[in-house]
Amino acid sequence: MPASAPRVPEAPALPVTFRPNRTRVVLLVVGTVMFGVITTVGLTLEQLSFGERISFVVTALLFLGALYLLSRPKVVAEESGVTVVNFTRVRRLEWAEILRVNLRPGDPWVFLDLSDGTSLPALGIQPGIARRQAIADARALRALADARGSGELS
Protein backbone atom coordinates (compact mmCIF):
# COMPACT_ATOMS: atom_id res chain seq x y z
CA MET A 1 0.00 0.00 0.00
CA PRO A 2 1.36 3.44 -0.82
CA ALA A 3 1.83 5.83 2.06
CA SER A 4 -0.85 8.46 2.05
CA ALA A 5 -0.03 12.12 2.35
CA PRO A 6 -0.92 13.76 5.66
CA ARG A 7 -4.43 15.15 5.61
CA VAL A 8 -4.49 18.95 5.58
CA PRO A 9 -7.58 20.29 7.36
CA GLU A 10 -9.98 22.29 5.26
CA ALA A 11 -10.27 25.95 6.18
CA PRO A 12 -13.67 26.83 7.69
CA ALA A 13 -15.97 29.43 6.17
CA LEU A 14 -15.41 32.97 7.38
CA PRO A 15 -16.19 34.70 9.65
CA VAL A 16 -15.51 32.22 12.43
CA THR A 17 -15.04 32.74 16.16
CA PHE A 18 -12.89 30.43 18.26
CA ARG A 19 -13.46 30.55 22.01
CA PRO A 20 -13.28 28.09 24.90
CA ASN A 21 -17.06 27.80 25.33
CA ARG A 22 -17.05 25.25 28.17
CA THR A 23 -14.58 27.28 30.18
CA ARG A 24 -16.57 30.44 29.48
CA VAL A 25 -19.83 28.85 30.65
CA VAL A 26 -18.23 27.49 33.84
CA LEU A 27 -16.66 30.87 34.69
CA LEU A 28 -19.84 32.86 34.06
CA VAL A 29 -22.07 30.42 35.95
CA VAL A 30 -19.69 30.31 38.92
CA GLY A 31 -19.42 34.12 38.87
CA THR A 32 -23.18 34.56 38.80
CA VAL A 33 -23.75 32.03 41.59
CA MET A 34 -20.98 33.63 43.70
CA PHE A 35 -22.50 37.06 43.12
CA GLY A 36 -25.92 35.79 44.23
CA VAL A 37 -24.60 34.00 47.32
CA ILE A 38 -22.33 36.82 48.54
CA THR A 39 -25.00 39.46 47.92
CA THR A 40 -27.69 37.39 49.67
CA VAL A 41 -25.44 36.76 52.68
CA GLY A 42 -24.51 40.44 52.86
CA LEU A 43 -28.10 41.60 52.68
CA THR A 44 -29.58 39.06 55.10
CA LEU A 45 -27.11 39.39 57.99
CA GLU A 46 -28.97 41.65 60.39
CA GLN A 47 -25.94 42.77 62.43
CA LEU A 48 -24.28 44.45 59.40
CA SER A 49 -24.44 48.18 58.85
CA PHE A 50 -25.48 49.70 55.54
CA GLY A 51 -21.84 50.29 54.56
CA GLU A 52 -20.92 46.69 55.33
CA ARG A 53 -23.81 45.44 53.22
CA ILE A 54 -22.66 47.60 50.32
CA SER A 55 -19.12 46.23 50.71
CA PHE A 56 -20.49 42.67 50.32
CA VAL A 57 -22.22 43.67 47.07
CA VAL A 58 -19.12 45.48 45.77
CA THR A 59 -16.95 42.45 46.61
CA ALA A 60 -19.40 40.20 44.77
CA LEU A 61 -19.26 42.53 41.75
CA LEU A 62 -15.44 42.43 41.81
CA PHE A 63 -15.48 38.60 41.77
CA LEU A 64 -17.99 38.60 38.92
CA GLY A 65 -15.92 41.16 37.00
CA ALA A 66 -12.72 39.14 37.42
CA LEU A 67 -14.40 35.95 36.21
CA TYR A 68 -15.92 37.87 33.28
CA LEU A 69 -12.42 39.02 32.25
CA LEU A 70 -11.20 35.41 32.45
CA SER A 71 -14.09 34.33 30.18
CA ARG A 72 -13.45 37.04 27.58
CA PRO A 73 -10.74 35.49 25.32
CA LYS A 74 -11.62 34.66 21.74
CA VAL A 75 -10.10 34.64 18.28
CA VAL A 76 -12.23 36.04 15.45
CA ALA A 77 -11.12 35.21 11.90
CA GLU A 78 -12.56 37.29 9.06
CA GLU A 79 -11.66 37.87 5.42
CA SER A 80 -9.60 40.93 6.34
CA GLY A 81 -7.66 39.32 9.19
CA VAL A 82 -7.76 38.04 12.74
CA THR A 83 -8.81 39.75 15.95
CA VAL A 84 -7.28 38.27 19.11
CA VAL A 85 -9.16 39.17 22.30
CA ASN A 86 -7.27 38.23 25.47
CA PHE A 87 -8.12 39.16 29.06
CA THR A 88 -7.66 42.92 28.80
CA ARG A 89 -6.25 43.51 25.31
CA VAL A 90 -7.54 43.31 21.77
CA ARG A 91 -5.14 43.02 18.84
CA ARG A 92 -6.08 43.15 15.17
CA LEU A 93 -3.81 41.30 12.74
CA GLU A 94 -3.71 41.09 8.97
CA TRP A 95 -3.40 37.56 7.63
CA ALA A 96 0.06 38.33 6.23
CA GLU A 97 1.30 39.15 9.75
CA ILE A 98 0.70 35.56 10.95
CA LEU A 99 3.63 33.36 10.02
CA ARG A 100 2.76 30.30 12.07
CA VAL A 101 0.02 28.97 14.37
CA ASN A 102 1.43 26.83 17.20
CA LEU A 103 -0.26 24.55 19.73
CA ARG A 104 2.43 22.21 20.99
CA PRO A 105 1.87 19.51 23.63
CA GLY A 106 1.83 21.18 27.04
CA ASP A 107 1.04 24.68 25.72
CA PRO A 108 -1.77 26.34 27.70
CA TRP A 109 -3.07 28.04 24.53
CA VAL A 110 -2.26 28.77 20.91
CA PHE A 111 0.67 31.03 20.07
CA LEU A 112 0.81 33.05 16.86
CA ASP A 113 4.30 33.68 15.47
CA LEU A 114 4.17 37.11 13.85
CA SER A 115 6.13 38.74 11.06
CA ASP A 116 7.63 41.31 13.46
CA GLY A 117 9.50 38.52 15.27
CA THR A 118 7.18 38.35 18.27
CA SER A 119 4.79 35.67 19.43
CA LEU A 120 1.23 36.51 20.46
CA PRO A 121 -0.71 34.23 22.81
CA ALA A 122 -4.23 33.61 21.54
CA LEU A 123 -6.09 32.59 24.68
CA GLY A 124 -9.29 31.98 22.72
CA ILE A 125 -7.96 28.54 21.77
CA GLN A 126 -6.93 26.66 24.90
CA PRO A 127 -6.94 22.92 25.53
CA GLY A 128 -7.94 23.15 29.20
CA ILE A 129 -11.40 21.57 29.51
CA ALA A 130 -12.01 20.80 25.80
CA ARG A 131 -8.72 19.48 24.44
CA ARG A 132 -10.14 17.94 21.24
CA GLN A 133 -12.03 21.11 20.37
CA ALA A 134 -8.91 23.24 20.95
CA ILE A 135 -6.83 21.00 18.67
CA ALA A 136 -9.52 21.17 15.97
CA ASP A 137 -9.73 24.96 16.34
CA ALA A 138 -5.93 25.32 16.15
CA ARG A 139 -5.87 23.21 12.98
CA ALA A 140 -8.66 25.30 11.45
CA LEU A 141 -6.83 28.54 12.26
CA ARG A 142 -3.63 27.07 10.77
CA ALA A 143 -5.51 26.18 7.60
CA LEU A 144 -6.92 29.71 7.39
CA ALA A 145 -3.50 31.30 7.97
CA ASP A 146 -1.97 29.02 5.35
CA ALA A 147 -4.69 29.77 2.80
CA ARG A 148 -4.94 33.53 3.35
CA GLY A 149 -1.53 34.75 4.41
CA SER A 150 2.05 33.74 4.55
CA GLY A 151 1.18 31.15 7.19
CA GLU A 152 3.16 27.99 7.72
CA LEU A 153 2.11 24.90 9.60
CA SER A 154 4.13 24.02 12.67
Side-chain angles (χ1 to χ4, degrees), residues 12 18 75 77 82 95 98 101 110 112 122 125 136-146:
F18 304 105
V75 177
V82 175
W95 284 110
I98 302 171
V101 177
V110 162
L112 305 176
I125 303 175
D137 289 350
R139 287 181 179 153
L141 186 57
R142 282 179 186 164
L144 287 167
D146 189 41

Side-chain angles (χ1 to χ4, degrees):
M1 280 188 162
S4 62
R7 189 175 67 87
V8 177
E10 189 175 315
L14 294 177
V16 63
T17 300
F18 304 105
R19 75 175 353 143
N21 287 322
R22 289 181 188 166
T23 302
R24 180 177 169 81
V25 167
V26 168
L27 290 169
L28 293 176
V29 167
V30 167
T32 303
V33 169
M34 283 178 52
F35 175 78
V37 169
I38 293 171
T39 300
T40 301
V41 167
L43 296 178
T44 57
L45 290 175
E46 296 175 9
Q47 67 270 26
L48 297 180
S49 69
F50 178 75
E52 291 169 327
R53 291 173 195 257
I54 294 299
S55 72
F56 266 78
V57 174
V58 169
T59 300
L61 280 171
L62 289 173
F63 277 125
L64 181 59
L67 292 178
Y68 169 77
L69 284 176
L70 291 174
S71 72
R72 192 169 176 250
K74 65 182 175 180
V75 177
V76 180
E78 301 168 316
E79 288 292 337
S80 60
V82 175
T83 303
V84 178
V85 179
N86 288 333
F87 299 130
T88 59
R89 293 197 168 189
V90 176
R91 179 140 180 217
R92 178 81 181 136
L93 301 166
E94 299 297 322
W95 284 110
E97 291 180 81
I98 302 171
L99 299 179
R100 204 169 10 258
V101 177
N102 295 308
L103 180 59
R104 294 174 293 261
D107 280 350
W109 40 71
V110 162
F111 288 91
L112 305 176
D113 291 341
L114 305 178
S115 59
D116 66 0
T118 62
S119 183
L120 176 68
L123 281 63
I125 303 175
Q126 49 183 268
I129 295 175
R131 179 176 165 74
R132 287 185 188 158
Q133 184 63 46
I135 291 170
D137 289 350
R139 287 181 179 153
L141 186 57
R142 282 179 186 164
L144 287 167
D146 189 41
R148 289 188 162 60
S150 58
E152 300 173 10
L153 296 179
S154 167

